[in-house]
Amino acid sequence: MTAPATAPEPSAAEQPSPMGALSQLIQEALDKGSSYGKLAERAIDPETGETVSKPYLQRVVKNPPANPPTPPMMRAIAAALGLPFRRVQEATAEQWLQYEATELAGYDSDVRVIVTHLIGKSPEDLRRWRYMIEAEERARREAEEQARREADE
């Protein structure tokens, strides 16, 4: 999920879904006209050659297994869905670990801030983290402005 640096979007914890995040990604592909068979044909990990079967994909959507897919299986699912591995990895973490990562947008390309949190973190904790990040952003901008003024003198 990507959110502006000063106005985070509501988290998945505030908008629960009966279907897990990885299950949703697969279901979305099915809703767009794909089939379990077509997905399974494309579900090949480009690094190891490991595949994911049609029954496994069906199970993830209909009755998810107790254990999450392995990294090679996630890469295979990413290939099947035509999505970046990171997106499938995030969906897997959210579905099996109730873990969500929020990426803040609006920073220079060389600065990447990712705030990670467990679903269920208190609003006070989230607010405290947001204040710390915003304070760092202000300090960085002020330092850049000061450096420009000194260079102009």
Side-chain angles (χ1 to χ4, degrees), residues 30-78:
L30 298 170
D31 292 345
K32 291 178 183 173
S34 196
S35 68
Y36 288 112
K38 289 177 187 173
L39 292 175
E41 287 173 10
R42 296 190 305 258
I44 303 167
D45 174 14
E47 292 181 23
T48 66
E50 185 171 331
T51 62
V52 174
S53 68
K54 174 182 170 182
Y56 182 81
L57 294 169
Q58 290 172 319
R59 212 168 29 254
V60 169
V61 173
K62 306 253 186 246
N63 186 20
N67 294 319
T70 63
M73 293 169 77
M74 287 187 282
R75 285 190 297 269
I77 293 169

Side-chain angles (χ1 to χ4, degrees), residues 74-89:
M74 287 187 282
R75 285 190 297 269
I77 293 169
L81 298 175
L83 294 173
F85 170 71
R86 181 176 170 166
R87 179 68 188 101
V88 171
Q89 187 179 40

Side-chain angles (χ1 to χ4, degrees), residues 14 120-130:
E14 297 168 352
K121 186 170 271 208
S122 73
E124 295 81 19
D125 285 343
L126 294 174
R127 191 171 25 259
R128 194 174 77 245
W129 277 100
R130 190 175 316 118

